[in-house]
Amino acid sequence: MTKLTRQVLLVAVLLLGGNSLNAQTLEGMPKETELNRYGLTLSWWGQAINDARRDTILHINSDEQNVYLQSTSGILTTFNGETGRRLWSTLVGVADQRAFAAESNERELLVASGMNVHSYDKLNGELLWELKAPQFPSASPTVSDTQVFIGTVEGSVYAFNLRKVRELHQENMLPRWSLMSREWRFKTPKRIISPPIHSGNTVLFASERGTVYGLSDLNKELKFQFETDARITTPLGSIDEYVLVADENSRLFCLNQSNGRTRWTFSSGSVMNQRPTAVGNHVYIIPNRKGMFALYLESGRVLWNQPQATQFISASDTRVYASDFNGNLLILNREDGTVIGKVAMRDFPNRIVNERTDRIVVSSKGGLVLGIREVQAEFPIFHAHPERRPILPEMASDEEQSTDQPPEPAN
């Protein structure tokens, strides 16, 4: 599909009601008075570009800067995560082709659709390059500062040189000559089940067979291989030097990312289909029909269990936000898991599992997206990458300002 055809499709979607909001959806928005009751506020709202007659939201994702909504037709809409301003929209690949959730680094946003991986400038949506994978991807790609990693359905992980990819794009040789940028391939027996994790000079990934691999990102040298006696079908979790692995025997393993050594093991008593999520010194897991467990990251010891919680959404310094069985926003005390309150939000079933910041982002099936925060939290907490938080101007206190004033002239 040519660039002109994509633009025509986007215009058609807008003309056919891509921005339309029905009254029923607006009525389902949480009221500000109800949010204020629990110290929350609606920071912003926006509407994703889609055809309201047939389109639904397939993925909703975010990083420290932006929020990304992907529709079933393939349209990607990007919002500023703090202001809600709609930054750009584009059709990724071919219309109605299923895509994986977007992944990003500080500059680029990557989306795998069909056999191709598309890279966009996060700020303006400019297509930076388009890479053809050797096999069908089985998960979202991962991008570091120097490489792109793609896991595939036949069990391989491929590493591509990002500098070479950009050079080939400049020479109009992509996606046809994508293999010229390939650095290595590592083959496993089964499908790669989640995006590879890049940490330091190590890339980690899991095969559905039940094996976690740690390789040198430079030359695919095997650093470690961790075996379970059950399949792995749940995406890996990670934080700092830890990687979290859930297998189908209801066990959660915490491994050292550099050498694969087991730090601790937790038996949940039920299969964990949702990715384990780590924020600060806590790990949050959702075993089937068991509610949410909060574990200590260092030891795996249980901090609390909340039976009403069915999905982790985000966490602040004192609270954890989750979903419950009825689609409510569940507000929990972070220290003991007790329920502080609930906010009705059934019309917004799409919710970002946000381990990067404390922001709550939800959307309706039709693409109405809401940004919610705690009233006092004017600036977000950066959990995963605190170094990415913008430097804020220091405001002098009244006492400091009075000290800096010149002395009164002598009489």
Side-chain angles (χ1 to χ4, degrees):
M1 183 179 291
T2 65
K3 183 177 180 180
L4 178 60
T5 306
R6 292 173 183 162
Q7 292 174 339
V8 170
L9 178 59
L10 279 172
V11 171
V13 167
L14 285 171
L15 293 176
L16 289 172
N19 279 331
S20 63
L21 299 176
N22 59 64
Q24 183 178 1
T25 302
L26 289 174
E27 287 177 0
M29 288 179 63
K31 295 179 172 57
E32 184 69 11
T33 53
E34 185 179 9
L35 291 172
N36 292 165
R37 179 183 176 188
Y38 299 111
L40 299 173
T41 183
L42 179 62
S43 180
W44 58 269
W45 65 270
Q47 173 63 37
I49 300 295
N50 57 49
D51 185 348
R53 300 175 305 175
R54 68 180 189 93
D55 234 356
T56 58
I57 297 303
L58 180 63
H59 301 296
I60 178 170
N61 204 356
S62 69
D63 53 30
E64 287 81 5
Q65 291 80 35
N66 298 334
V67 171
Y68 311 99
L69 273 74
Q70 297 165 251
S71 72
T72 50
S73 68
I75 296 177
L76 166 67
T77 307
T78 302
F79 298 88
N80 180 286
E82 285 303 296
T83 67
R85 184 170 67 91
R86 192 163 63 200
L87 301 177
W88 52 272
S89 296
T90 190
L91 176 67
V92 179
V94 179
D96 297 320
Q97 186 174 57
R98 283 297 179 102
F100 290 99
E103 291 287 335
S104 64
N105 62 9
E106 291 194 71
R107 178 194 173 194
E108 300 182 38
L109 179 76
L110 269 61
V111 182
S113 177
M115 289 283 288
N116 291 340
V117 175
H118 309 263
S119 173
Y120 299 96
D121 186 301
K122 285 171 49 173
L123 296 180
N124 57 30
E126 176 189 356
L127 181 65
L128 300 178
W129 47 263
E130 184 179 338
L131 189 70
K132 185 174 183 180
Q135 301 287 337
F136 278 102
S138 58
S140 302
T142 298
V143 57
S144 70
D145 292 335
T146 58
Q147 291 171 295
V148 179
F149 303 99
I150 304 173
T152 63
V153 295
E154 46 80 55
S156 292
V157 171
Y158 294 87
F160 294 85
N161 184 292
L162 193 52
R163 180 181 60 81
K164 185 64 176 178
V165 167
R166 291 167 178 162
E167 290 177 356
L168 291 172
H169 176 76
Q170 292 296 323
E171 296 170 4
N172 294 318
M173 296 178 68
L174 291 181
R176 182 178 179 184
W177 301 102
S178 297
L179 286 180
M180 293 179 64
S181 61
R182 192 174 87 182
E183 292 188 328
W184 51 259
R185 173 199 182 196
F186 187 90
K187 182 71 172 67
T188 76
K190 292 285 186 177
R191 177 178 66 101
I192 305 302
I193 56 92
S194 66
I197 297 170
H198 185 261
S199 176
N201 58 3
T202 303
V203 57
L204 304 101
F205 49 88
S207 166
E208 188 177 28
R209 183 176 180 176
T211 307
V212 179
Y213 301 88
L215 309 181
S216 166
D217 60 2
L218 180 63
N219 56 16
K220 73 170 182 179
E221 177 184 355
L222 184 64
K223 293 185 174 183
F224 70 84
Q225 183 172 320
F226 174 80
E227 302 277 352
T228 72
D229 56 7
R231 293 197 315 157
I232 298 175
T233 56
T234 302
L236 302 178
S238 68
I239 184 173
D240 299 329
E241 71 269 25
Y242 308 107
V243 60
L244 302 165
V245 184
D247 72 3
E248 289 196 339
N249 276 349
S250 307
R251 294 170 303 181
L252 179 69
F253 302 92
C254 180
L255 310 180
N256 188 299
Q257 287 194 12
S258 60
N259 55 30
R261 293 176 182 170
T262 304
R263 301 183 64 94
W264 50 262
T265 304
F266 176 76
S267 181
S268 66
S270 185
V271 175
M272 293 163 278
N273 293 321
Q274 298 182 42
R275 178 173 60 89
T277 304
V279 175
N281 59 352
H282 297 152
V283 177
Y284 302 96
I285 59 172
I286 314 285
N288 291 347
R289 300 180 299 277
K290 297 282 187 177
M292 177 189 289
F293 284 83
L295 312 177
Y296 285 104
L297 177 62
E298 288 294 328
S299 64
R301 185 169 59 88
V302 176
L303 174 63
W304 48 260
N305 170 228
Q306 175 48 253
Q308 295 186 48
T310 60
Q311 180 191 26
F312 174 89
I313 296 178
S314 71
S316 66
D317 290 337
T318 60
R319 294 177 171 186
V320 171
Y321 297 95
S323 302
D324 70 6
F325 291 100
N326 296 316
N328 298 312
L329 175 66
L330 197 61
I331 307 166
L332 308 177
N333 183 300
R334 185 167 175 176
E335 289 303 314
D336 59 18
T338 55
V339 177
I340 297 173
K342 300 179 182 180
V343 178
M345 218 167 284
R346 184 177 298 180
D347 291 335
F348 297 86
N350 304 311
R351 298 163 188 199
I352 291 178
V353 177
N354 189 359
E355 59 193 350
R356 298 200 185 197
T357 74
D358 60 333
R359 291 336 198 198
I360 302 164
V361 184
V362 301
S363 87
S364 68
K365 293 180 179 179
L368 176 61
V369 57
L370 312 180
I372 298 170
R373 63 172 175 83
E374 294 179 6
V375 173
Q376 303 300 324
E378 295 184 17
F379 303 101
I381 301 171
F382 281 28
H383 296 305
H385 300 285
E387 72 280 1
R388 295 182 183 177
R389 180 173 180 174
I391 298 175
L392 304 175
E394 294 186 4
M395 303 298 292
S397 65
D398 293 340
E399 183 178 345
E400 290 172 332
Q401 289 176 351
S402 62
T403 303
D404 294 336
Q405 291 177 353
E408 293 287 339
N411 293 329

